[in-house]
């Protein structure tokens, strides 16, 4: 039985650093792709009330809770790399290869990711608006 309503498309990008001969170290954002898919569907729940007030006290202006299907590759990336979450799979989320901190659909992982009840059925995690480095 499905315990959430996955109606919001998202794209996930991981930050990767590689050495480019003659240029030095370069940081790029690569889409997370599994089974040929780079778009995923989730239940997006914005923060409000006490949760929003607590987040604002920590300097977080906008946050949300995401529930989505368990995917071992996605779960591992969320646990081990810096990941950007693009709400509504917005094609304008990147400018010249960098996440656009002025785009309201660009978020980053905030805290950890939970494999709910370790059942490998769905995961849940918090995101906050991406503000750049």
């Amino acid at each position: 039985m499905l315990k959430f309503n996955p109606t919001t498309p998202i794209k996930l990008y991981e930050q990767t650093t590689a050495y480019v001969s003659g240029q030095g170290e370069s940081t790029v954002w690569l889409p997370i792709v599994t089974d040929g898919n780079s778009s995923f569907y989730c239940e997006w729940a914005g923060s409000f009330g006490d949760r929003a007030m607590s987040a604002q006290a920590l300097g977080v202006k906008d946050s949300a809770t995401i529930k989505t299907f368990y995917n071992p590759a996605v779960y591992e990336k969320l646990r081990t790399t810096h990941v950007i979450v693009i709400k509504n799979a917005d094609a304008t989320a990147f400018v010249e290869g960098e996440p656009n901190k002025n785009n309201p659909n660009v978020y980053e992982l905030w805290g950890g990711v939970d494999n709910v009840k370790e059942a490998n059925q769905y995961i849940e995690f918090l995101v906050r608006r991406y503000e750049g480095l």
Side-chain angles (χ1 to χ4, degrees):
M1 181 173 139
L2 193 61
K3 298 180 182 181
F4 62 100
N5 188 14
T7 58
T8 305
I10 59 173
K11 286 190 177 268
L12 305 169
Y13 290 82
E14 69 172 312
Q15 185 178 39
T16 304
T17 304
Y19 178 77
V20 179
S21 181
Q23 295 179 349
E25 197 170 85
S26 178
T27 300
V28 295
W29 292 92
L30 299 175
I32 296 175
V33 179
T34 64
D35 299 325
N37 295 315
S38 63
S39 290
F40 306 94
Y41 280 85
C42 71
E43 178 180 84
W44 188 281
S47 296
F48 58 93
D50 290 343
R51 182 175 253 175
M53 296 296 285
S54 296
Q56 286 179 356
L58 296 171
V60 176
K61 297 176 186 139
D62 185 13
S63 63
T65 301
I66 294 176
K67 291 181 186 177
T68 190
F69 300 100
Y70 176 82
N71 178 310
V74 169
Y75 180 66
E76 186 62 22
K77 296 290 184 185
L78 288 168
R79 290 181 64 227
T80 60
T81 64
H82 187 192
V83 174
I84 295 292
V85 179
I86 309 301
K87 183 180 180 185
N88 297 323
D90 187 344
T92 65
F94 280 81
V95 175
E96 297 177 6
E98 292 294 318
N100 181 357
K101 67 181 181 180
N102 296 316
N103 185 316
N105 289 321
V106 180
Y107 289 79
E108 64 185 335
L109 186 66
W110 183 36
V113 58
D114 183 25
N115 176 1
V116 178
K117 297 183 180 179
E118 296 298 317
N120 296 345
Q121 292 182 356
Y122 59 99
I123 58 176
E124 184 172 347
F125 54 96
L126 296 174
V127 294
R128 65 179 177 189
R129 274 288 302 280
Y130 178 75
E131 297 181 2
L133 300 175

